[in-house]
Amino acid sequence: MKKEIKIKAPAKVNIALDVLGVREDGYHEMRMINHTVALADELHFSLEDTGIVLSCSDPKIPVDAGNIVWRVAECLKTQFGVEAGVAIAIDKHIPSEAGLAGGSADGAAALLGLNRLWGLGLSLRELCAIGAKIGADIPYCCFKGTALVTGIGEIITPLKPLNRLSVVLVKPDIDIATPWAFRQLDAGKNTRHPDIDGVISAIELEDYDALRVCSGNAFETAVFEIYPEIRDIKEKMYDCGAVFSVMSGSGSTVIGYFEAEAAARRACTTFKQSFPHTFLTEIE
C-alpha cells in the first residue's frame, strides 16, 4: 500500500501583536501572544519516485516554487539528501493575505509531514530552526497552542491555554500583504502598543475585561487609517456581544471572542450577510 500521511494546518491568530523596531539585519523585532483555532487547511502527503508534485484546491495559490510548501520540501530534500519524491495536495480553507498565517501554517505542516514521510527523525526544535529560515511564523505554527512569541517569531514560550471561547473570524474583501503593512507601520507616528504583559496576566486570571483593555495590534492604527471598514468590523464585533476583539496579524481579518456560542452564531450570521468569508470556529 502506498504510504500516505495527512496533517492539519490550523490558522494562527494574534491576541496581541507588538512591533518593537527594526533590527540591524532588517527584520522587525516582534512580541506577540498567539493561539491556534480549529479553522485549518489539510495537507495530504504520498511518496513519489522523484521530484515534488504540488496541488491545491484553491486555484489562486501557486503550486511551484512560489509556494512555501514547495520551498520546505526542496529545502529538506537538498539538506538531507532525500532521493524519494513527494506528492502534496493542499485542501485550502484558511483565506490568504488575511493575517492568519495560512502559508506559514502550511509550511509548518509540510515540515511535520515530510519529517514522518521521509523518516528524517528530526526533533520539533530542529524542524523549527529549519522553518525559521523559510518563514518567520513557521516555528510557532509547528508548536501551536497559546504562546508568547518573540524575536522575529522564532522564540516560543508556551502560556496557559486560553479558554475554549467561540471565535468569529471576519475577512473583508481586502488583501493585505505583510511587507506593505510593515512599510505603513514604519512610516507611522501614532502606533498603539498593546500591553503584552497585561495580556499574559489576563489569560492567567481568565479576565476578559482586562483582555479587552490590554489586547491589540500595532498594525491596527496604520491599517485602520487606510481601510476604515476594518475598524468598523471590530467595533461591530462589540455590538454583537464579543468580550474582546482584535485584528490578526497584518490584517485584514478581525477576530471576535464570545463566551456564549449562541451569541457567536448570531454574530456569524450577521457578518456573513456582508462578508462571505466569515467563519465560526473555536480556540484549540
Side-chain angles (χ1 to χ4, degrees), residues 5 32 38 109 121 134 164 168 173 215 240 259:
I5 290 173
M32 304 175 282
I134 301 171
R164 191 163 287 188
V168 176
D173 191 20
S215 64
C240 290
E259 288 188 90

Side-chain angles (χ1 to χ4, degrees), residues 83-139:
E83 295 183 1
V86 63
I88 307 172
I90 306 171
D91 187 9
K92 196 75 181 159
H93 299 282
I94 305 170
S96 57
E97 292 189 313
L100 299 173
S104 294
D106 292 348
L111 281 169
L112 296 168
L114 292 172
N115 188 43
R116 287 171 52 190
L117 187 76
W118 286 338
L120 300 178
L122 300 170
S123 69
L124 183 58
R125 292 199 175 275
E126 288 172 322
L127 291 172
C128 288
I130 294 168
K133 298 175 183 178
I134 301 171
D137 277 328
I138 289 181

Side-chain angles (χ1 to χ4, degrees), residues 197-251:
D197 292 331
V199 170
I200 295 172
S201 176
I203 291 172
E204 287 286 338
L205 298 172
E206 299 178 12
D207 185 341
Y208 301 131
D209 289 336
L211 273 174
R212 181 169 179 164
V213 173
C214 298
S215 64
N217 183 331
F219 286 112
E220 285 186 348
T221 301
V223 171
F224 289 176
E225 183 175 343
I226 305 297
Y227 300 108
E229 55 266 54
I230 301 176
R231 179 197 59 222
D232 294 343
I233 293 171
K234 180 176 177 179
E235 291 175 355
K236 192 170 182 179
M237 282 288 187
Y238 287 120
D239 292 340
C240 290
V243 290
F244 67 100
S245 178
V246 66
M247 185 182 79
S248 186
S250 55

Side-chain angles (χ1 to χ4, degrees), residues 26 53 56 87 116 118 121 141 162 188 191 211 219 267 272:
V53 179
C56 183
R116 287 171 52 190
W118 286 338
C141 290
L162 196 63
T191 300
L211 273 174
F219 286 112
K272 265 190 179 293

